[in-house]
Amino acid sequence: MQGNGDWWSTPGQSAGHRGATAPPNYQPPPGYPPNGYYPNGGYAMPPRQQLPMRPPYGVPPRRSSGNGWIFGLLGAIAAVVLLVIAAVVYVDNSGTSADEMAEAFPALVKPDGSLTGAGYDGQICWHESGGKLRAPKNDALLLGNWTDAWDCWGHVDKPTYVVLAYPEQSDVSKAIEQLPPNKKSFLMYNAYSWQTADTANPVQFWKAHAFTDSRRNRFIVLAQEQYWPRLEQGKNLHDFDRWCVAMFS
């Protein structure tokens, strides 16, 4: 111990340094100087620890929600379903059922509750809603913007016919204007007749019927016959015309 009263100072150092040597075999904690003290004699503080950043007090941390995209997806699906339902309702409202056609032409349309049924003179008929018709055997025939049809063929030894339904009476007028050159006649309805050449084999007769009364003015009834003169098969022009008149008597 030194006589100057500085009992904690090391030999050869002034009291102002206050340095000290570490004891033998001293192992400083991690982060401390080797002798446990900084060179300037100050006490070694442990290194500062990095604390995690925290938001200001009073502001809760933001949380991402996983439910947002689910609600968005459900909303998109609901919108698509509504559009499909609206489209189906529109199509149903724009068409004409077989029962409605039967009310206008009870002798020509006889549905059995399905997409088929009977027709005039024992013909077999089908309810069509767009697509290709079987009764008119002329692909070049322009029939306009029809929506539904009662398509009657089935028996080769009888004339075929089709009842065509249109959205408006004006659509019927447009379809009549597109018929081939014809001979027009007036009974209780307007009839438009034409045929292929007499030398054709077979000879084909056509007759389209349009109506002026409000109950049937959205319809056209188109009839057709194939006549084989040499075979005497089918109806000739006179018999075919009488057959057509009897459809509405």
Side-chain angles (χ1 to χ4, degrees):
M1 179 175 274
Q2 303 296 324
N4 59 3
D6 193 1
W7 56 271
W8 62 84
S9 61
T10 58
Q13 289 183 327
S14 64
H17 288 89
R18 299 183 182 181
T21 59
N25 300 324
Y26 173 75
Q27 295 296 327
Y32 282 79
N35 61 355
Y37 297 90
Y38 288 109
N40 63 359
Y43 181 72
M45 295 295 291
R48 295 183 61 186
Q49 298 180 358
Q50 295 294 328
L51 298 178
M53 297 297 293
R54 297 178 63 88
Y57 292 105
V59 180
R62 296 182 60 184
R63 296 182 179 178
S64 60
S65 175
N67 296 329
W69 71 272
I70 296 178
F71 289 117
L73 179 61
L74 292 176
I77 293 174
V80 172
V81 171
L82 290 176
L83 289 176
V84 172
I85 293 175
V88 171
V89 171
Y90 175 78
V91 171
D92 288 344
N93 290 338
S94 65
T96 302
S97 68
D99 290 335
E100 291 177 293
M101 288 188 282
E103 291 179 3
F105 303 98
L108 309 184
V109 183
K110 302 174 183 179
D112 60 2
S114 61
L115 297 180
T116 186
Y120 173 65
D121 197 18
Q123 278 290 21
I124 303 173
C125 308
W126 288 263
H127 183 196
E128 304 287 351
S129 296
K132 183 177 178 62
L133 297 171
R134 293 180 177 268
K137 298 179 179 64
N138 188 341
D139 294 336
L141 187 62
L142 302 177
L143 297 175
N145 186 30
W146 60 273
T147 59
D148 292 85
W150 192 245
D151 195 8
C152 303
W153 43 286
H155 289 290
V156 296
D157 59 338
K158 297 180 180 180
T160 64
Y161 71 93
V162 58
V163 180
L164 296 167
Y166 293 82
E168 303 289 343
Q169 194 276 332
S170 58
D171 297 305
V172 171
S173 299
K174 293 177 182 178
I176 294 298
E177 293 173 359
Q178 297 177 1
L179 294 177
N182 56 78
K183 179 181 178 181
K184 185 176 180 180
S185 60
F186 300 92
L187 296 172
M188 295 181 295
Y189 45 81
N190 300 333
Y192 308 84
S193 304
W194 69 96
Q195 69 177 70
T196 57
D198 291 336
T199 56
N201 191 24
V203 181
Q204 296 191 51
F205 305 121
W206 299 80
K207 198 167 188 179
H209 308 81
F211 307 88
T212 57
D213 58 285
S214 59
R215 188 170 63 95
R216 301 184 298 177
N217 62 6
R218 292 192 303 109
F219 298 92
I220 290 177
V221 177
L222 178 65
Q224 180 189 22
E225 173 66 320
Q226 293 185 353
Y227 175 58
W228 304 77
R230 293 183 180 180
L231 300 176
E232 296 184 354
Q233 181 178 340
K235 298 181 181 298
N236 59 29
L237 178 59
H238 176 72
D239 292 338
F240 173 66
D241 187 66
R242 293 181 59 185
W243 186 86
C244 291
V245 171
M247 294 174 71
F248 308 103
S249 61

